[in-house]
Short mmCIF file of all heavy atoms in Angstrom, two decimals:
data_model
loop_
_atom_site.label_atom_id
_atom_site.label_comp_id
_atom_site.label_asym_id
_atom_site.label_seq_id
_atom_site.Cartn_x
_atom_site.Cartn_y
_atom_site.Cartn_z
N ASP A 99 100.09 -95.06 138.60
CA ASP A 99 101.11 -95.01 137.56
C ASP A 99 102.44 -94.79 138.26
O ASP A 99 102.74 -93.68 138.70
CB ASP A 99 100.81 -93.88 136.58
CG ASP A 99 101.84 -93.76 135.47
OD1 ASP A 99 102.81 -94.57 135.44
OD2 ASP A 99 101.69 -92.85 134.64
N GLU A 100 103.23 -95.85 138.39
CA GLU A 100 104.48 -95.73 139.15
C GLU A 100 105.53 -94.87 138.45
O GLU A 100 106.56 -94.57 139.04
CB GLU A 100 105.03 -97.10 139.52
CG GLU A 100 105.50 -97.93 138.38
CD GLU A 100 105.92 -99.32 138.81
OE1 GLU A 100 105.51 -99.81 139.87
OE2 GLU A 100 106.69 -99.92 138.05
N ASP A 101 105.27 -94.46 137.22
CA ASP A 101 106.19 -93.52 136.56
C ASP A 101 106.00 -92.10 137.08
O ASP A 101 106.87 -91.25 136.87
CB ASP A 101 105.96 -93.54 135.04
CG ASP A 101 106.40 -94.85 134.42
OD1 ASP A 101 107.33 -95.50 134.96
OD2 ASP A 101 105.82 -95.23 133.39
N ARG A 102 104.88 -91.85 137.72
CA ARG A 102 104.62 -90.52 138.29
C ARG A 102 105.33 -90.40 139.63
O ARG A 102 105.28 -91.31 140.46
CB ARG A 102 103.13 -90.30 138.48
CG ARG A 102 102.36 -90.16 137.19
CD ARG A 102 100.91 -89.92 137.50
NE ARG A 102 100.76 -88.84 138.44
CZ ARG A 102 100.13 -87.69 138.17
NH1 ARG A 102 99.60 -87.51 136.99
NH2 ARG A 102 100.04 -86.75 139.08
N GLU A 103 105.94 -89.28 139.86
CA GLU A 103 106.64 -89.04 141.12
C GLU A 103 105.66 -89.06 142.29
O GLU A 103 106.01 -89.46 143.40
CB GLU A 103 107.34 -87.67 141.06
CG GLU A 103 108.27 -87.43 142.20
CD GLU A 103 109.06 -86.16 142.01
OE1 GLU A 103 109.61 -85.96 140.91
OE2 GLU A 103 109.14 -85.39 142.98
N ASP A 104 104.42 -88.66 142.04
CA ASP A 104 103.39 -88.62 143.08
C ASP A 104 102.33 -89.71 142.85
O ASP A 104 101.14 -89.45 142.88
CB ASP A 104 102.73 -87.24 143.13
CG ASP A 104 102.10 -86.85 141.80
OD1 ASP A 104 102.30 -87.56 140.79
OD2 ASP A 104 101.40 -85.82 141.76
N MET A 105 102.77 -90.92 142.64
CA MET A 105 101.90 -92.02 142.21
C MET A 105 100.74 -92.31 143.15
O MET A 105 99.72 -92.82 142.74
CB MET A 105 102.71 -93.29 142.00
CG MET A 105 103.28 -93.90 143.26
SD MET A 105 104.11 -95.44 142.97
CE MET A 105 105.80 -94.91 142.99
N LEU A 106 100.85 -91.98 144.43
CA LEU A 106 99.79 -92.26 145.39
C LEU A 106 99.05 -91.00 145.83
O LEU A 106 98.36 -91.00 146.85
CB LEU A 106 100.36 -92.99 146.61
CG LEU A 106 101.02 -94.34 146.36
CD1 LEU A 106 101.62 -94.91 147.64
CD2 LEU A 106 100.04 -95.32 145.75
N GLN A 107 99.15 -89.94 145.07
CA GLN A 107 98.56 -88.66 145.47
C GLN A 107 97.05 -88.71 145.62
O GLN A 107 96.47 -87.94 146.37
CB GLN A 107 98.93 -87.57 144.47
CG GLN A 107 98.20 -87.71 143.15
CD GLN A 107 98.42 -86.53 142.23
OE1 GLN A 107 99.06 -85.56 142.62
NE2 GLN A 107 97.88 -86.61 141.04
N HIS A 108 96.36 -89.61 144.91
CA HIS A 108 94.91 -89.66 144.95
C HIS A 108 94.39 -90.44 146.16
O HIS A 108 93.19 -90.52 146.37
CB HIS A 108 94.36 -90.29 143.67
CG HIS A 108 94.62 -89.48 142.45
ND1 HIS A 108 95.62 -88.54 142.35
CD2 HIS A 108 94.00 -89.43 141.26
CE1 HIS A 108 95.61 -87.98 141.17
NE2 HIS A 108 94.63 -88.51 140.47
N LEU A 109 95.30 -91.02 146.91
CA LEU A 109 94.93 -91.77 148.12
C LEU A 109 95.03 -90.84 149.33
O LEU A 109 95.78 -89.86 149.31
CB LEU A 109 95.85 -92.97 148.29
CG LEU A 109 95.69 -94.03 147.20
CD1 LEU A 109 96.87 -94.97 147.17
CD2 LEU A 109 94.41 -94.81 147.41
N PRO A 110 94.31 -91.17 150.40
CA PRO A 110 94.39 -90.33 151.60
C PRO A 110 95.83 -90.24 152.12
O PRO A 110 96.51 -91.25 152.25
CB PRO A 110 93.49 -91.04 152.60
CG PRO A 110 92.59 -91.89 151.77
CD PRO A 110 93.37 -92.27 150.55
N GLN A 111 96.27 -89.05 152.38
CA GLN A 111 97.63 -88.83 152.89
C GLN A 111 97.60 -88.80 154.42
O GLN A 111 96.71 -88.20 155.02
CB GLN A 111 98.20 -87.53 152.34
CG GLN A 111 98.25 -87.48 150.82
CD GLN A 111 99.19 -88.50 150.22
OE1 GLN A 111 100.39 -88.41 150.38
NE2 GLN A 111 98.62 -89.50 149.54
N GLY A 112 98.56 -89.47 155.04
CA GLY A 112 98.67 -89.49 156.49
C GLY A 112 97.57 -90.27 157.19
O GLY A 112 97.31 -90.03 158.37
N GLN A 113 96.93 -91.22 156.52
CA GLN A 113 95.77 -91.91 157.08
C GLN A 113 95.95 -93.41 157.29
O GLN A 113 95.16 -94.02 157.99
CB GLN A 113 94.56 -91.72 156.15
CG GLN A 113 94.20 -90.28 155.92
CD GLN A 113 93.69 -89.60 157.17
OE1 GLN A 113 92.86 -90.15 157.88
NE2 GLN A 113 94.22 -88.44 157.47
N PHE A 114 96.97 -94.01 156.68
CA PHE A 114 97.08 -95.47 156.70
C PHE A 114 97.90 -95.96 157.89
O PHE A 114 99.00 -95.50 158.13
CB PHE A 114 97.71 -95.98 155.40
CG PHE A 114 96.81 -95.83 154.21
CD1 PHE A 114 96.84 -94.68 153.45
CD2 PHE A 114 95.93 -96.84 153.87
CE1 PHE A 114 96.00 -94.53 152.36
CE2 PHE A 114 95.08 -96.71 152.78
CZ PHE A 114 95.11 -95.54 152.03
N GLY A 115 97.34 -96.95 158.58
CA GLY A 115 98.07 -97.57 159.69
C GLY A 115 98.97 -98.69 159.22
O GLY A 115 99.96 -99.01 159.87
N PHE A 116 98.63 -99.27 158.07
CA PHE A 116 99.42 -100.39 157.55
C PHE A 116 99.33 -100.43 156.04
O PHE A 116 98.26 -100.27 155.46
CB PHE A 116 98.91 -101.72 158.12
CG PHE A 116 99.69 -102.92 157.70
CD1 PHE A 116 101.00 -103.10 158.13
CD2 PHE A 116 99.14 -103.87 156.86
CE1 PHE A 116 101.74 -104.21 157.73
CE2 PHE A 116 99.86 -104.99 156.46
CZ PHE A 116 101.17 -105.16 156.89
#
Side-chain angles (χ1 to χ4, degrees):
D99 179 0
E100 67 185 22
D101 291 331
R102 291 181 51 117
E103 190 173 312
D104 58 352
M105 69 176 101
L106 299 177
Q107 72 172 356
H108 295 22
L109 294 163
Q111 302 295 292
Q113 302 293 313
F114 290 90
F116 182 68

